[in-house]
């Protein structure tokens, strides 16, 4: 199984400041079709997960442009340029290259 | 707009069978894959398995042997059965659309449904 490891697991951030979450996979996420199926989800308190970003860097419809994704191979990053109160929640990376596995989640809170 | 709504027993005893059904409203049922994902309290997400409109399935190897996913295209429904449950199967269960062929991920999720296994 592909193991996804996120860091940090807890991320206190001041409003208006940037935030960054790292996600590493135990093996390359480059699929045989040439795509890299690394996606990011946001789970707000008491809510179901919501897709934010797919295939490393593509924002889903309605996702603010302060969210961005980057990376390649086994190392990926989700960045929030300026954290807002509504960004509180848990963020998960997920790989869809070899079946589907999720990271442990990173809990973002406001300082 | 796609909406998913599930129902099933929320409290089970050890060794019983978990049974959940999800109805899909909106979108094209036959053009998509459908999955079950679960989240134990305070823990991360685990993909359980997937099915398409033809009934072709794939399951998480960690649960294989205990899980069955089925489909009823006449009702736009898909179902999950998990046998011989234990406390470790206590989780919020989600029915979701996906994986989609473009991104191999899950773009529509239903509301949270907690299933508790306790004697």
């Amino acid at each position: 199984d592909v193991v996804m490891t996120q860091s940090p697991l807890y991320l206190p951030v001041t409003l208006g400041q940037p935030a960054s979450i790292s996600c590493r996979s135990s093996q390359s996420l480059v699929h045989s079709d040439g795509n890299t199926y690394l996606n990011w989800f946001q789970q707000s308190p008491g809510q179901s997960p919501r897709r934010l970003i797919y295939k490393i860097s593509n924002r889903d419809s309605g996702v603010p442009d302060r969210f961005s994704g980057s990376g390649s191979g086994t190392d990926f990053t989700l960045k929030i340029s300026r954290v807002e109160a509504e960004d509180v929640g848990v963020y998960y990376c997920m790989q869809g290259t070899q079946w589907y596995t999720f990271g442990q989640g990173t809990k973002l809170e406001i300082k | 707009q796609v909406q998913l709504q599930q129902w099933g027993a929320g409290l089970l005893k050890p060794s019983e069978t978990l049974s959940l059904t999800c109805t899909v409203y909106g979108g094209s049922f036959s053009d998509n894959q459908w999955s079950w994902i679960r989240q134990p309290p305070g823990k991360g997400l685990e993909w359980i398995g997937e099915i398409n409109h033809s009934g072709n399935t794939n399951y998480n190897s960690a649960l294989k042997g205990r899980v069955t996913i089925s489909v009823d295209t006449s009702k736009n429904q898909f179902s999950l059965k998990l046998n011989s449950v234990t406390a470790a199967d206590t989780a919020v269960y989600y029915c979701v659309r996906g994986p989609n062929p473009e991104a191999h991920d899950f773009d529509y999720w239903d509301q949270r449904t907690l299933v508790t296994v306790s004697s």
Side-chain angles (χ1 to χ4, degrees):
Chain A
D1 288 3
V2 179
V3 177
M4 306 298 288
T5 303
Q6 291 181 227
S7 64
L9 300 184
Y10 175 65
L11 183 56
V13 184
T14 301
L15 284 173
Q17 293 301 301
S20 180
I21 300 171
S22 171
C23 176
R24 288 189 171 176
S25 56
S26 60
Q27 54 191 271
S28 173
L29 296 186
V30 179
H31 194 274
S32 56
D33 64 11
N35 288 305
T36 300
Y37 296 107
L38 185 284
N39 311 301
W40 290 95
F41 291 83
Q42 175 195 54
Q43 186 171 31
S44 300
Q47 300 295 314
S48 301
R50 164 202 182 191
R51 189 177 70 175
L52 282 181
I53 288 176
Y54 60 95
K55 287 196 296 186
I56 303 177
S57 60
N58 297 277
R59 275 191 303 276
D60 210 340
S61 174
V63 174
D65 60 7
R66 64 178 181 276
F67 289 92
S68 64
S70 63
S72 63
T74 60
D75 290 329
F76 305 91
T77 303
L78 175 70
K79 291 183 178 178
I80 308 173
S81 58
R82 295 173 306 280
V83 169
E84 298 189 4
E86 65 184 26
D87 300 335
V88 165
V90 181
Y91 293 81
Y92 294 94
C93 60
M94 187 219 98
Q95 67 82 20
T97 295
Q98 189 180 109
W99 299 115
Y100 317 98
T101 51
F102 294 82
Q104 321 96 300
T106 295
K107 187 173 186 178
L108 186 149
E109 290 190 348
I110 305 300
K111 272 186 194 174
Chain B
Q1 180 72 354
V2 176
Q3 290 188 315
L4 300 95
Q5 187 171 23
Q6 69 167 283
W7 71 89
L11 180 61
L12 297 171
K13 290 183 167 50
S15 80
E16 291 184 336
T17 296
L18 180 156
S19 183
L20 298 171
T21 296
C22 184
T23 302
V24 179
Y25 301 94
S28 171
F29 187 82
S30 296
D31 288 342
N32 290 281
Q33 302 265 98
W34 305 94
S35 289
W36 291 94
I37 290 172
R38 69 180 183 178
Q39 184 174 32
K43 297 188 178 179
L45 298 155
E46 178 182 40
W47 174 74
I48 298 171
E50 64 186 13
I51 193 165
N52 67 11
H53 71 282
S54 299
N56 298 314
T57 55
N58 290 296
Y59 300 125
N60 186 327
S61 57
L63 295 169
K64 216 166 185 178
R66 289 204 298 136
V67 62
T68 303
I69 297 176
S70 58
V71 68
D72 184 343
T73 55
S74 68
K75 297 179 181 178
N76 283 6
Q77 291 178 347
F78 62 106
S79 299
L80 169 70
K81 288 191 187 303
L82 183 65
N83 299 327
S84 305
V85 297
T86 69
D89 296 310
T90 293
V92 169
Y93 286 76
Y94 297 98
C95 57
V96 302
R97 189 175 81 170
N100 60 72
E102 180 185 9
H104 291 200
D105 72 349
F106 311 99
D107 53 5
Y108 286 94
W109 299 60
D110 79 317
Q111 295 303 306
R112 302 156 61 89
T113 298
L114 176 64
V115 176
T116 302
V117 180
S118 175
S119 54

